[in-house]
Amino acid sequence: MQAENRSARRQELLRVFNSLFDHYGKLHWWPAETPFEVCVGAILTQNTNWGNVEKAIANLKKADLLSATTLRDVPVEELAQVIKPAGFFNVKSARLKDFVGWLFERYLGRLEAMFAGDWLELREELLKVRGIGRETCDSILLYAGNKPSFVVDAYTKRLFTHLGLVSAKDDYEAVRALFMDNLPADAALFNDFHALIVQHCKVHCRKKPLCSGCRLHLSCNGS
C-alpha cells in the first residue's frame, strides 16, 4: 500500500510538473553568473523581492565585492551600504560576513571544497551557520551546488495546499518531503520544478487566486 501511495504521489507530481513545463517552458533559474553569486543572492533575497536583490548584486559587482575574499575583508558597515537596495541591509551584511567567515574557516573559502563531500552532511552544516535558514540552505545546495535538495517557499506551500497534496499546517520539512520522498533525486528536475512553481504562483496562484486560464484549475480545491 505504501508503495502504491508513493507511485500515485509521484505520478501526480510529475503531472503537475509536465503541465507547468508545457505552459511556461524552461525558465533558466537561478539567474547568476557564478555559484558564489547564487549563494550571495540566496542570502540577500530573504524578506525582499528579486528586483531589489538584482540591484544589490549590481552594486557588489560595481564595487568589486562579489567574491569570498573581498566579502571577508570589507568592513561590515561598508558592505551594508553597498547592499542597501536589498533591505534589512545591516542584518544581511552580517549574514554575508558570517557565511564567508564560515566558508574560510571550514573550506578555506572554496565553494568547490564545500560541495565536494556528502551534500546531506553539508546541509546539516549550513543550517548551523547563523542566518542560513532552510530555504536559503536548500537554494544554495540546489542552485549553487547542483545537489538534489528541493527548495520550499511560500509559493510551494500555497500551490500544493490548494492541490490537496500538503496541509496548510505542514512545516517546511513536511512540504519538502513530498518532493524528496516521491520524486527521483534529480537536481535538474528540482531546479525546473521550483522555478515553474514560482512563475505559476506569480501569474495565477496568488494570495487572491486568478483561476482563469490556470492549467491546474480542475485539480485545485483552493480558493
Side-chain angles (χ1 to χ4, degrees):
M1 181 64 71
Q2 186 174 3
E4 291 179 2
N5 289 341
R6 183 176 180 181
S7 177
R9 283 286 178 92
R10 174 179 293 199
Q11 290 178 21
E12 179 61 13
L13 288 171
L14 291 176
R15 185 193 69 79
V16 172
F17 172 81
N18 288 329
S19 180
L20 294 178
F21 192 87
D22 288 346
H23 185 63
Y24 296 108
K26 193 167 184 65
L27 298 175
H28 304 287
W29 190 258
W30 189 294
E33 295 179 357
T34 66
F36 187 75
E37 184 178 328
V38 173
C39 297
V40 171
I43 294 169
L44 292 179
T45 200
Q46 296 169 2
N47 301 306
T48 193
N49 64 59
W50 185 250
N52 292 333
V53 174
E54 287 181 318
K55 294 174 185 176
I57 289 178
N59 285 354
L60 287 169
K61 290 180 178 179
K62 185 176 180 180
D64 196 22
L65 290 174
L66 199 54
S67 73
T69 300
T70 54
L71 282 184
R72 178 195 62 186
D73 296 341
V74 66
V76 66
E77 298 83 6
E78 181 180 335
L79 177 59
Q81 292 306 305
V82 174
I83 65 169
K84 198 168 185 178
F88 301 98
F89 47 92
N90 290 320
V91 172
K92 291 179 181 179
S93 61
R95 288 177 177 176
L96 286 172
K97 298 285 279 186
D98 286 340
F99 171 70
V100 296
W102 168 82
L103 184 63
F104 273 95
E105 179 181 349
R106 184 71 178 85
Y107 296 102
L108 301 178
R110 296 176 58 245
L111 285 186
E112 299 88 347
M114 184 181 93
F115 288 126
D118 185 317
W119 74 266
L120 291 171
E121 293 179 5
L122 175 59
R123 187 173 192 261
E124 295 305 312
E125 279 192 64
L126 276 170
L127 288 172
K128 294 176 183 177
V129 179
R130 188 174 65 168
I132 304 294
R134 297 182 187 278
E135 182 181 341
T136 301
C137 174
D138 290 324
S139 295
I140 289 172
L141 289 170
L142 177 61
Y143 294 113
N146 198 35
K147 307 299 182 183
S149 189
F150 202 90
V151 178
V152 171
D153 57 14
Y155 293 129
T156 312
K157 188 169 184 178
R158 183 191 306 160
L159 176 59
F160 285 87
T161 298
H162 285 178
L163 293 174
L165 294 174
V166 299
S167 165
K169 296 180 180 179
D170 286 342
D171 63 12
Y172 185 98
E173 293 295 345
V175 177
R176 181 172 176 269
L178 172 69
F179 303 90
M180 297 297 295
D181 294 349
N182 297 296
L183 290 175
D186 184 334
L189 172 63
F190 289 178
N191 184 319
D192 288 335
F193 207 162
H194 183 249
L196 291 165
I197 291 167
V198 172
Q199 181 64 23
H200 187 71
C201 286
K202 287 181 176 179
V203 175
H204 288 290
C205 200
R206 308 169 182 174
K207 289 183 179 179
K208 184 177 181 180
L210 179 63
C211 296
S212 177
C214 174
R215 298 290 295 264
L216 305 176
H217 182 54
L218 295 178
S219 303
C220 181
N221 58 14
S223 60

